[in-house]
Amino acid sequence: MLGSIKTFLKDRLAHTASPTERGQVLRVATAAILLEVSRADFETDEAELETIAAALRRAFDLDEAAVREVIAEAREQDDSELSLYPFLKIVNDACTPEEKYRVVCDLWRVAYADGRLDKYEEYQIRRIADLLYVPHSEFIRAKLSIQGEG
C-alpha cells in the first residue's frame, strides 16, 4: 500500500503528498509505536491489541476495518524497519505537544492492558517519550493518569 516508510518519507511526504497520504502515514507510524510497547515484554496479548485498536479509533476517528488496515500496515512496515526512528520522526513532525502527550498516554494504556507493567514496557515508554520530546513531568503525569483509570 504505502511501500516502505523511508521511501514514502523521501518521495511523498514532501509538499506533494496529499493530506490523505500524510494522515495514513501518521496513523501507521502511531500504530507502529504502540505495537512496539506491546512487544517490549516479548508477549503481545489480545488485550494489548484491543487497546491499540481503541487508541487508533479514538485518535483518528477510524472504523473497525480502517483500524485493522492500519495495524496490518504498521506491522508490515515495522517488520521492514530496523529502527523506530522513522516512525518517531513522523509523529514529531506532525503532532503538537498535546497530541504527543496523548500518544504517551496510549503507550501507558497498552502497557497496562494485560494487568501488569513489565520493566521493559516502562523502559520502552520512557525511551519513546524522550524521543518525542515529551517532558519528564508529562511522562509521569501520563503514567499517573492512566494508573488512575484502572
Side-chain angles (χ1 to χ4, degrees), residues 31-106:
I33 292 167
L34 294 170
L35 284 165
E36 191 66 24
V37 169
S38 75
R39 293 186 198 125
D41 63 356
F42 308 104
E43 296 175 25
T44 300
D45 68 22
E46 195 59 37
E48 290 171 329
L49 293 175
E50 282 301 315
T51 301
I52 291 168
L56 295 171
R57 279 192 300 274
R58 184 177 51 255
F60 300 109
D61 194 30
L62 300 174
D63 63 25
E64 199 59 40
V67 167
R68 281 193 304 273
E69 180 183 326
V70 167
I71 290 173
E73 179 67 18
R75 282 182 162 163
E76 180 182 316
Q77 294 298 333
D78 195 39
D79 289 344
S80 70
E81 291 296 325
L82 298 176
S83 169
L84 262 184
Y85 294 105
F87 304 115
L88 292 164
K89 179 172 179 19
I90 291 165
V91 172
N92 271 323
D93 291 348
C95 294
T96 65
E98 182 57 35
E99 291 167 331
K100 292 178 195 180
Y101 171 79
R102 286 193 298 262
V103 169
V104 172
C105 286
D106 287 333

Side-chain angles (χ1 to χ4, degrees), residues 91-138:
V91 172
N92 271 323
D93 291 348
C95 294
T96 65
E98 182 57 35
E99 291 167 331
K100 292 178 195 180
Y101 171 79
R102 286 193 298 262
V103 169
V104 172
C105 286
D106 287 333
L107 293 170
W108 284 114
R109 285 184 183 100
V110 171
Y112 283 115
D114 61 3
R116 63 180 177 78
L117 176 63
D118 185 87
K119 66 182 178 181
Y120 298 115
E121 291 170 326
E122 185 164 14
Y123 169 78
Q124 191 69 281
I125 296 169
R126 179 181 302 270
R127 184 174 152 254
I128 290 169
D130 286 346
L131 293 169
L132 289 176
Y133 307 109
V134 173
H136 186 71
S137 61
E138 293 296 288

